[in-house]
Amino acid sequence: MLASQRRSVILELVQESGAVKVSDLVERLGVSDMTIRRDIERLSSDGLLERVHGGALALDGSRSSDEPGFTAKSLLQLAQKQAIARAAARHVEAGSSIGISAGTTTYELARAVRDVPDLTIVTNSIPVAQLLHESGTPGQTVVLTGGVRTPSDALVGPVAVSALRSLHVDILFLGAHGVDGQAGLTTPNLVESETNRALIASARRVCVLADSSKWGTVGLSTFADLADVDLFVTDTALPDRAREAVRETVGSLEIAET
């Protein structure tokens, strides 16, 4: 197991139970006490959990206006995000134009399509643009919207919205802070919400990438209803009741196997 995957597991366990002991992590992950302590120290320095004697505590991040940073979110549900990204990537054809919104699941989507030739990618995500630029795949064109940078490394605001008004993509791959049957797709950032609406308006089809932990989370601002979504890709842990709600509303539901 890579260090990043190990830290992802530690962070998920902390968030599930509220606290973990070093001794329990050593037994579960099969590594040394010192390795676990270094992992906790790294996660603590990144602001993802609180390091305490003998273990770690979860931080309180439940408020609807809280917006975690890109690094914090990238470690959560990593295996699920990668499976979702692989499933969604099958809908990308060489020579097409796609939109990729900011987010950690959409970043994994960018990883999955970085070798597809002759793509035109429109994005408001700095990490996505950097990843695709560095891939150097023949014929790929990356359009970065510009705008004001958020804690989640999204470019938002009037500059981003203005750029998107003149652009048109075949399919948009869209992330969300939260997904709810009533509230729809939400984010804690009001300006990012406006920019996401502009992304949706630029697309012929909208594909939402959201792992099951996002269901029932409601951020401050709604930027789309579930009825606006053509394809919803999630993982196998999505509850049956949530699956029914999605199937009744969106065009198509796809479950990615981890």
Side-chain angles (χ1 to χ4, degrees):
M1 182 182 292
L2 298 174
S4 60
Q5 294 173 317
R6 191 173 60 245
R7 290 172 192 146
S8 177
V9 171
I10 292 171
L11 192 56
E12 288 179 23
L13 291 172
V14 169
Q15 294 197 333
E16 286 173 4
S17 60
V20 292
K21 295 179 180 179
V22 169
S23 57
D24 292 339
L25 293 172
V26 167
E27 182 177 354
R28 175 158 186 158
L29 297 174
V31 294
S32 69
D33 177 281
M34 186 61 67
T35 296
I36 294 297
R37 291 184 188 279
R38 282 198 298 264
D39 287 338
I40 290 175
E41 176 65 30
R42 172 65 180 273
L43 292 168
S44 176
S45 66
D46 287 342
L48 306 179
L49 50 71
E50 181 181 353
R51 181 169 60 92
V52 295
H53 181 69
L57 298 176
L59 300 177
D60 180 12
S62 60
R63 294 173 297 178
S64 65
S65 59
D66 284 343
E67 182 179 15
F70 184 87
T71 301
K73 292 190 289 187
S74 66
L75 293 172
L76 299 174
Q77 308 293 327
L78 182 58
Q80 291 89 336
K81 290 175 181 178
Q82 290 172 339
I84 289 167
R86 289 192 298 269
R90 292 196 285 269
H91 297 272
V92 176
E93 299 178 356
S96 62
S97 60
I98 66 173
I100 302 180
S101 77
T104 53
T105 311
T106 48
Y107 180 80
E108 294 301 328
L109 182 278
R111 282 185 187 274
V113 303
R114 61 182 169 180
D115 295 327
V116 178
D118 301 319
L119 274 185
T120 298
I121 305 102
V122 176
T123 185
N124 69 322
S125 166
I126 295 171
V128 165
Q130 185 66 27
L131 172 72
L132 295 172
H133 172 73
E134 291 175 351
S135 73
T137 301
Q140 277 197 1
T141 301
V142 180
V143 180
L144 187 60
T145 62
V148 177
R149 188 173 183 171
T150 72
S152 60
D153 281 346
L155 295 176
V156 301
V159 173
V161 170
S162 178
L164 289 165
R165 281 177 181 154
S166 62
L167 299 175
H168 308 279
V169 297
D170 296 316
I171 183 169
L172 168 66
F173 295 96
L174 184 66
H177 170 79
V179 183
D180 183 79
Q182 299 299 318
L185 310 180
T186 62
T187 175
N189 189 305
L190 290 172
V191 185
E192 186 165 5
S193 185
E194 178 187 20
T195 305
N196 282 344
R197 292 188 197 105
L199 279 164
I200 292 169
S202 74
R204 291 173 55 198
R205 297 180 66 219
V206 176
C207 174
V208 169
L209 313 183
D211 68 76
S212 56
S213 71
K214 301 289 183 71
W215 187 262
T217 298
V218 178
L220 183 63
S221 176
T222 295
F223 58 86
D225 295 326
L226 287 177
D228 299 322
V229 178
D230 298 293
L231 174 63
F232 189 98
V233 187
T234 187
D235 60 79
T236 55
L238 188 72
D240 290 341
R241 186 171 297 179
R243 296 188 191 196
E244 292 175 8
V246 172
R247 286 194 177 103
E248 290 175 358
T249 312
V250 307
S252 179
L253 171 66
E254 187 168 338
I255 305 296
E257 297 286 342
T258 53

